[in-house]
Amino acid sequence: MEEIDGNTVLAQALKEQGVEYVFGICGFPVIELSMALQTAGIHYIGMRNEQAACYAAQAIGYLTGVPGGVLVVSGPGLLHVFAGMANAQVNCWPVLVIGGSCPQDHEGIGGFQECNQVELARPYCKYAARPPSVSLIPQHVEKAVRLTRYGRPGAAYLDFPGNMLQAQIPVDKIPPQYTSPELPIVYPEPRKIEEAVTLLSQARRPLVIVGKGAAYAHAEREVRDLVQSANLPVLATPMGKGVVDDNSPLSIQPARSLALQRADVVVLLGARLNWILHFGRPPRYSPDVKVIQIDVSAEELHNSVQSAVAIQADLKPAVAQLVDAVKRRGFVFNKQSDWWADLSKKIQDNKKKVEEMALDKSEPLNYYAVFHHLMEVLPPNPIIVSEGANTMDIGRSILMNALPRHRLDAGTFGTMGVGLGFAIAAALYCRHNEPEKKVICVEGDSAFGFSGMELETMVRYKLPVVLIVVNNSGIYGGMPEDVYKDVQESGEVTKVTPPTTLTFSTRYENMMGLFGKKGYFVTSISQLQQAVKEALKVNDGPSIINVIISPSADRKPQTFSWLTESKL
């Protein structure tokens, strides 16, 4: 009787369930499994850090709708991946973590890297299990993949002791498994749709807020139809950018604070009233604002504030029905209204302030000038990965997205270190789906430090990512060169160096020399644009452009502090 080992059973089960990419780090007891994955026709991408592997896997899950796999070794390997699992779970992106573990006959007696892995993983995912036998591996893989995708997407964990992966069983002992069936679609209650349109038609200051849930749901056509047919102002969350073109006349991003504070009816599409949207509460919102909320997860309805109309549904059918109802009633919000006039004035005022900083080419450079002139030389519709404090936040308002799923950043969990993993996933996605599309990864120098060695991963797999390090020599901000030198010459460096300070003008571009390739050191706008043009011609690996900006560069003054504080 033909026999098959656990590694092969697992690899074939993953392939059957549609998993195409696995990111990981090899070691005991999963070395043979990584090879079995490739034999099964799965792309295996060896990373340099487990967190980055998980960030890459969840980004490919977001871009494709099918979870990426993460392969980690036992004990410390799994512990290192929890930051990525938590990020996927909070961000609502599908990912499947596969952990090797201590052989079962070594458990309880001090086995190598022995760790209670299933229980440790459980708080960070929707499903955590260890198949009880080789023959039941496919059953648990099917369930894990299904749960990462159904309802609100998230993470799953499967645990595999070394002896199970190596065990041999007859092929006919593996029961046949069904592949994950088509995703179920939750349709809205018709009465709720009518209530929503009635409320919306009564609004004097309506606002549509679009989140990354709308991007993940591929609901861009329906959302654009809604705001265009009803002439509604629209505001995007960071990764909701591009569902409606940032350059659309209906996009009121520069008037964000005013829009949130004065809107009387908010239509919430694939977004949550968490910290990113200031919880939907005063003083960022009007005390009597009414919320129309559509979410696939019933548990999210009425969270933080009580919605006037709460609709559990998938976004595509729900918004499509909203559009039908709006058109049937002939509702169009007046473009000549006071609300549109107020928003338009605020947009122009804020654009003028940003433009002054963006056109300031004096050296050392500022964020706005870097991003404005970077945007001038980027090709159409690249995928933009962005992380860092000011780098990410300021870039959000200047680096425009015309298409959905074209911006990846720190997301709901605010996780630093995601950038290079996300960029690796984006580059792989483009290679196999849109080979002409470019990936631009814009990193703060602090953010780059979290996962900088993934540069080697990009080189190894010939991923043409343009890495732009916006270098202000610190976390939030560094010190001027003369002050930095004085601090370095003091006798107590660890007592007097500000905690947010990094080495002045670190030459990150020299990392390309490790691979016999060229990096770019940039201090002026002309150098920046020339470097970007050259880097975009590189198709067989990454490029680094190290852009030196003022250590004191900052965002424009804010109407509110960026985070709504508790009053308790």
Side-chain angles (χ1 to χ4, degrees):
M1 177 63 66
E2 181 184 358
E3 291 194 331
I4 188 170
D5 67 1
N7 288 309
T8 304
V9 171
L10 175 53
Q12 291 179 353
L14 290 167
K15 183 67 174 178
E16 284 179 356
Q17 299 306 323
V19 175
E20 293 291 338
Y21 300 88
V22 174
F23 305 80
I25 296 180
C26 281
F28 177 81
V30 296
I31 296 173
E32 292 82 2
L33 175 56
S34 65
M35 300 174 185
L37 293 169
Q38 291 180 315
T39 301
I42 292 173
H43 298 284
Y44 178 80
I45 301 93
M47 304 285 284
R48 301 302 300 266
N49 178 279
E50 288 91 354
Q51 289 182 23
C54 197
Y55 298 142
Q58 64 196 256
I60 207 76
Y62 171 69
L63 292 169
T64 66
V66 178
V70 188
L71 183 63
V72 297
V73 302
S74 51
L78 179 66
L79 294 175
H80 288 171
V81 91
F82 284 159
M85 289 179 69
N87 190 72
Q89 188 71 355
V90 174
N91 230 22
C92 305
W93 286 1
V95 71
L96 172 60
V97 177
I98 302 155
S101 61
C102 170
Q104 289 162 300
D105 56 327
H106 292 180
E107 291 179 341
I109 55 174
F112 176 66
Q113 295 184 333
E114 181 182 352
C115 189
N116 192 1
Q117 297 182 181
V118 175
E119 291 306 312
L120 285 170
R122 204 176 300 281
Y124 307 105
C125 57
K126 296 175 68 176
Y127 179 66
R130 171 190 287 181
S133 67
V134 174
S135 63
L136 291 176
I137 287 175
Q139 173 182 313
H140 285 270
V141 169
E142 186 280 325
K143 183 173 183 179
V145 170
R146 175 161 41 88
L147 293 187
T148 65
R149 303 178 68 205
Y150 277 28
R152 174 179 285 174
Y157 173 69
L158 292 178
D159 190 72
F160 296 96
N163 60 304
M164 182 183 295
L165 293 173
Q166 297 163 9
Q168 301 265 345
I169 66 167
V171 171
D172 65 356
K173 296 296 183 183
I174 302 173
Q177 294 296 316
Y178 54 85
T179 55
S180 288
E182 185 176 336
L183 288 173
I185 298 175
V186 181
Y187 286 89
E189 186 179 351
R191 175 176 60 87
K192 293 288 187 180
I193 293 294
E194 295 303 322
E195 289 178 7
V197 176
T198 297
L199 181 58
L200 185 60
S201 65
Q202 297 168 351
R204 296 176 59 195
R205 296 180 301 278
L207 176 65
V208 176
I209 299 179
V210 178
K212 69 174 176 290
Y216 183 78
H218 289 248
E220 53 269 19
R221 183 178 65 83
E222 291 79 6
V223 172
R224 291 184 182 197
D225 199 2
L226 173 65
V227 298
Q228 289 167 1
S229 61
N231 195 39
L232 296 171
V234 62
L235 180 69
T237 66
M239 276 186 281
K241 283 163 58 67
V243 172
V244 174
D245 188 337
D246 282 343
N247 291 310
S248 166
L250 298 172
S251 174
I252 50 87
Q253 208 77 21
R256 183 180 193 271
S257 293
L258 175 69
L260 295 180
Q261 195 173 25
R262 293 189 53 201
D264 63 352
V265 174
V266 169
V267 183
L268 201 63
L269 304 178
R272 291 170 282 176
L273 292 176
N274 53 23
W275 67 273
I276 290 177
L277 290 175
H278 313 289
F279 313 109
R281 300 175 181 177
R284 289 298 188 97
Y285 292 76
S286 169
D288 57 357
V289 65
K290 294 179 173 60
V291 176
I292 298 168
Q293 183 183 18
I294 303 176
D295 202 286
V296 71
S297 172
E299 290 81 2
E300 186 60 35
L301 301 178
H302 306 295
N303 196 27
S304 183
V305 300
Q306 183 171 351
S307 299
V309 182
I311 304 171
Q312 184 197 6
D314 280 275
L315 214 61
K316 278 178 73 74
V319 179
Q321 291 185 27
L322 273 180
V323 171
D324 289 344
V326 162
K327 290 180 177 179
R328 186 175 66 251
R329 296 194 189 190
F331 168 64
V332 179
F333 187 69
N334 185 7
K335 186 68 174 179
Q336 307 305 316
S337 65
D338 291 343
W339 181 227
W340 264 117
D342 292 344
L343 290 171
S344 298
K345 183 178 184 304
K346 178 59 73 172
I347 288 170
Q348 294 307 313
D349 289 347
N350 279 339
K351 280 186 174 180
K352 184 177 179 181
K353 294 175 185 177
V354 169
E355 189 176 85
E356 290 174 0
M357 292 181 281
L359 297 179
D360 178 7
K361 296 184 181 182
S362 61
E363 301 171 21
L365 299 170
N366 70 74
Y367 287 102
Y368 294 87
V370 169
F371 296 145
H372 173 79
H373 292 92
L374 169 62
M375 198 69 195
E376 289 183 337
V377 292
L378 290 183
N381 298 318
I383 293 180
I384 298 174
V385 180
S386 181
E387 72 166 326
N390 291 338
T391 299
M392 180 175 64
D393 293 339
I394 297 172
R396 187 178 296 152
S397 63
I398 301 180
L399 300 176
M400 297 290 102
N401 294 102
L403 298 175
R405 299 172 296 282
H406 278 60
R407 181 185 168 90
L408 304 172
D409 70 17
T412 310
F413 211 33
T415 307
M416 289 294 101
V418 298
L420 273 69
F422 282 5
I424 287 168
L428 288 166
Y429 174 82
C430 290
R431 173 179 289 174
H432 298 128
N433 296 277
E434 300 181 67
E436 299 304 314
K437 189 174 290 292
K438 297 295 184 180
V439 177
I440 312 297
C441 183
V442 185
E443 298 273 303
D445 51 329
S446 171
F448 179 72
F450 280 83
S451 55
M453 278 313 298
E454 297 302 336
L455 178 68
E456 188 274 332
T457 307
M458 295 178 179
V459 171
R460 192 172 0 119
Y461 293 110
K462 299 183 177 181
L463 300 175
V465 175
V466 178
L467 277 164
I468 300 170
V469 180
V470 185
N471 188 346
N472 70 348
S473 305
I475 304 169
Y476 301 108
M479 293 188 297
E481 185 175 14
D482 56 343
V483 179
Y484 177 78
K485 287 180 178 178
D486 289 342
V487 168
Q488 288 288 294
E489 292 169 2
S490 69
E492 295 285 355
V493 178
T494 54
K495 289 184 178 180
V496 298
T497 303
T500 59
T501 296
L502 300 174
T503 305
F504 184 80
S505 294
T506 303
R507 299 297 296 264
Y508 295 109
E509 80 284 356
N510 288 339
M511 291 178 69
M512 294 303 300
L514 299 172
F515 315 104
K517 297 180 181 293
K518 177 184 177 182
Y520 303 88
F521 182 75
V522 166
T523 60
S524 69
I525 293 301
S526 60
Q527 290 174 341
L528 169 66
Q529 293 193 330
Q530 182 59 35
V532 172
K533 291 175 182 177
E534 291 184 21
L536 288 170
K537 296 176 183 177
V538 178
N539 294 313
D540 63 349
S543 303
I544 292 183
I545 302 171
N546 184 18
V547 186
I548 306 302
I549 68 170
S550 170
S552 59
D554 203 353
R555 68 187 81 184
K556 72 178 181 65
Q558 303 292 300
T559 305
F560 290 91
S561 64
W562 70 276
L563 182 63
T564 300
E565 299 296 339
S566 170
K567 299 295 186 276
L568 297 179

